[in-house]
Amino acid sequence: MTDLRNLKVLDASLLLVDTVHAAAAHLDVRRVPRLRNQLLRATDAIPANIAEGARGSRPEFVQCLRIALRSADEVGAHLMVARRVHALPLDQFRRCESKRVAVCKMLHGLIRTVQEYHARDKNSERR
């Protein structure tokens, strides 16, 4: 079990939530009516999946981190659509996207680290 207070990626994902929620408040939903809801749901899923996985085994944690990463990719797609249809100003898109990219990098790194620890534990058990 991982202590949530020690997960920097959780803090970064919550910062992404704050940033996307602030931007979504100004989203022109007339252009894409369901986009705001999809964007917010995908964004909110990222820290939720990180927290859910932190309570399980290492393989379960990796699985939840991968789900969080897929949610972050979905957020990226929604942001691109919002920008492409001119529903989101460029400065807000850039702010959200930079936070999203940072979270993705952290998730990739954490997945790699947890997998390496899991592999080492398995190797030490065999000895």
Side-chain angles (χ1 to χ4, degrees), residues 82-107:
R83 181 65 202 129
R84 190 171 187 96
V85 300
H86 306 290
L88 186 66
L90 182 58
D91 65 323
Q92 291 184 5
F93 168 80
R94 286 181 175 158
R95 193 174 306 122
C96 293
E97 183 62 8
S98 69
K99 302 265 189 285
R100 187 193 73 79
V101 168
V103 167
C104 287
K105 288 177 181 178
M106 293 173 84
L107 285 168

Side-chain angles (χ1 to χ4, degrees), residues 51-124:
E52 180 181 341
R55 297 190 174 168
S57 66
R58 285 188 180 144
E60 291 169 339
F61 190 28
V62 168
Q63 179 62 24
C64 287
L65 292 174
R66 287 185 176 138
I67 293 168
L69 188 56
R70 286 194 292 271
S71 293
D73 289 340
E74 182 181 347
V75 169
H78 293 318
L79 289 171
M80 285 188 284
V81 169
R83 181 65 202 129
R84 190 171 187 96
V85 300
H86 306 290
L88 186 66
L90 182 58
D91 65 323
Q92 291 184 5
F93 168 80
R94 286 181 175 158
R95 193 174 306 122
C96 293
E97 183 62 8
S98 69
K99 302 265 189 285
R100 187 193 73 79
V101 168
V103 167
C104 287
K105 288 177 181 178
M106 293 173 84
L107 285 168
H108 278 293
L110 185 55
I111 289 167
R112 191 171 33 253
T113 299
V114 173
Q115 287 175 324
E116 288 169 2
Y117 274 107
H118 184 65
R120 272 190 246 147
D121 285 351
K122 280 190 160 187
N123 286 339
S124 67

Side-chain angles (χ1 to χ4, degrees), residues 1-21:
M1 186 157 133
T2 302
D3 187 350
L4 291 175
R5 294 171 295 187
N6 295 331
L7 287 176
K8 292 179 183 178
V9 69
L10 182 62
D11 292 336
S13 70
L14 291 170
L15 184 57
L16 175 62
V17 167
D18 294 342
T19 305
V20 170
H21 275 261

